[in-house]
Amino acid sequence: MRFDQLLAGRRMCRDFSDEPLAPDVLTPVLRSAFGAPSAGNTDAVSLVVLDGERVGLYWDTTLPPDRRGTFPWPGLLNAPVLVIPYVDPARYVERYSRRDKASTGLGAGPDAWSVPYWWVDGGAAVMAMLLAAESAGLGALFFGQFEHEGAVAEMLGVPSGQRALGTVALGRRGQGASVSQSVRNLPRQHPQERIHRGGW
């Protein structure tokens, strides 16, 4: 499959089969995250991978059983693997304090960064996983943790200072509908409307 076909075919999946993923299918998807760009070669993206009972613990933490009756995407709960990408802002600050980067001033602290590159690098890692999942014939969904970030980190024993970008669900696609209300209510603009050549 050509890259343009892969990119055009990628869609967020909200309905999964509970079929487990074999290591030879899952591992290349996970490893793809570490092929993404890394500012200053800081290499500060980590993945927490959940399967089996750990997936259930995640949902018990973020979506208690008493709320699941009104959850609009029940097929999402079937996903056999959840991946949580974490970034470490302090590693970026430390990296940019070193001699070869000190002139940037970014070693002064996280507030010195007008663009926090830990989020940029983390987003690139997530996109690499989404494309790798599509290439492997898997469904994938990236979704936010929002107010549950702290509880999830505590449940998983994540070291202080690590920040979660969200969660990536991975698995075989189910048979249910997977189009979000966002797509129904706000179709994407044509790329030509957002490409400004030579200036805005």
Side-chain angles (χ1 to χ4, degrees), residues 13-101:
C13 175
R14 292 168 177 81
D15 185 77
F16 292 88
S17 158
D18 60 4
E19 177 188 347
L21 296 181
D24 63 333
V25 174
L26 177 60
T27 298
V29 175
L30 301 177
R31 287 182 175 172
S32 71
F34 305 107
S38 176
N41 203 32
T42 301
D43 206 20
V45 175
S46 300
L47 305 178
V48 174
V49 183
L50 307 178
D51 59 10
E53 293 182 359
R54 301 297 283 176
V55 171
L57 288 174
Y58 177 95
W59 291 120
D60 287 344
T61 302
T62 61
L63 188 68
D66 62 326
R67 289 180 45 210
R68 294 181 192 174
T70 58
F71 186 57
W73 308 110
L76 170 56
L77 306 184
N78 293 329
V81 175
L82 298 177
V83 181
I84 305 172
Y86 282 93
V87 293
D88 186 354
R91 287 266 299 275
Y92 285 82
V93 173
E94 189 278 329
R95 171 67 184 96
Y96 279 76
S97 298
R98 297 184 189 181
R99 181 180 305 172
D100 63 322
K101 297 290 186 182

Side-chain angles (χ1 to χ4, degrees), residues 112-125:
W113 294 68
S114 59
V115 177
Y117 267 56
W118 42 94
W119 300 126
V120 176
D121 290 353

